[in-house]
Amino acid sequence: GENVEQHPSTLSVQEGDSAVIKCTYSDSASNYFPWYKQELGKRPQLIIDIRSNVGEKKDQRIAVTLNKTAKHFSLHITETQPEDSAVYFCAAGQQTSGSRLTFGEGTQLTVNP
Amino acid sequence: GAVVSQHPSWVICKSGTSVKIECRSLDFQATTMFWYRQFPKQSLMLMATSNEGSKATYEQGVEKDKFLINHASLTLSTLTVTSAHPEDSSFYICSAPRGQGVNTIYFGEGSWLTVV
């Protein structure tokens, strides 16, 4: 099955700096890579996703890059703000298999004012 | 607004009793839903895939007789934790894909289960 590894487990940055979180996956058949933000005790919220037919996607301060050859993808947050502080999860899956996702271990991002 | 609704948000039960958690897709049909368990400060671990009209598919190590899943309609899946024990205390959360072909996965609010 799929195995997703996520680094770092914790990340602390100053407000305004950039934050980068990296994930690797093992199953070359995976073609869908979403990123979720989860605040304590709440549901994961989809913040951005990328599918294997593109290498990069950007939405305002958030961007994701995908390298299918190397089987890794990354989340980039620019101009971080304190409200970006949360746990971020990457995931990988195949949309043809009903969207079964395997999650990374999560990254606790802290943005210091 | 929410596209997947989960109920209850919080539940406390006594050891040995059973608890049912509902997951509903709002304004869309979901032939497949997914149930996850999340322990504090840990990731989401897939427990099972709920399939409308057929048996659920359980992940390795998940006891199907303990975690009963029923997907009775295209908008409702239920997870029943039977004979609950304190170690079953966790955050249970469901998800459902929405869309045709290229779809997006949405999560329910989650349910905190505490077994005392």
Side-chain angles (χ1 to χ4, degrees), chain A residues 32 34 36 38 40-46 49 51 89 95 97-106, chain B residues 2-4 32 34 36 38 42-44 46 49 59 91 93 97 101-105 107-109 112:
Chain A
Y32 179 57
Y36 290 87
Q38 187 180 30
L40 187 63
K42 297 187 178 180
R43 78 177 92 198
Q45 297 276 6
L46 178 69
D49 58 11
R51 294 177 172 87
F89 291 98
Q95 294 209 297
S97 67
S99 307
R100 181 183 181 279
L101 294 177
T102 300
F103 284 82
E105 292 300 309
Chain B
V3 296
V4 177
T32 303
F34 301 90
Y36 294 84
Q38 186 179 33
Q42 294 189 23
S43 188
L44 293 91
L46 180 64
T49 302
E59 296 299 302
F91 187 57
I93 192 163
V102 176
N103 50 43
T104 300
I105 299 143
F107 284 86
E109 299 93 330
W112 285 99

Side-chain angles (χ1 to χ4, degrees), chain B residues 40-98:
Chain B
K41 297 187 177 181
Q42 294 189 23
S43 188
L44 293 91
M45 299 302 297
L46 180 64
M47 299 175 64
T49 302
S50 175
N51 304 299
E52 189 270 335
S54 64
K55 293 182 179 180
T57 305
Y58 290 82
E59 296 299 302
Q60 190 173 7
V62 178
E63 300 176 59
K64 62 180 180 180
D65 294 330
K66 180 170 182 62
F67 299 99
L68 300 180
I69 291 172
N70 184 275
H71 198 142
S73 75
L74 287 170
T75 59
L76 174 64
S77 174
T78 61
L79 168 68
T80 301
V81 182
T82 64
S83 186
H85 289 100
E87 55 264 33
D88 298 326
S89 300
S90 185
F91 187 57
Y92 292 86
I93 192 163
C94 67
S95 71
R98 178 184 182 186

Side-chain angles (χ1 to χ4, degrees), chain A residues 6-33:
Chain A
Q6 183 172 346
H7 301 281
S9 56
T10 60
L11 179 59
S12 182
V13 299
Q14 289 299 122
E15 183 176 1
D17 287 350
S18 295
V20 180
I21 303 171
K22 299 182 178 181
C23 288
T24 61
Y25 63 99
S26 61
D27 189 349
S28 57
S30 289
N31 56 13
Y32 179 57
F33 309 93

Side-chain angles (χ1 to χ4, degrees), chain B residues 11-20 66 80-86 88 113-116:
Chain B
V11 58
I12 300 174
C13 71
K14 293 184 177 180
S15 290
T17 62
S18 297
V19 174
K20 180 185 286 187
K66 180 170 182 62
T80 301
V81 182
T82 64
S83 186
H85 289 100
D88 298 326
L113 169 63
T114 301
V115 184
V116 297

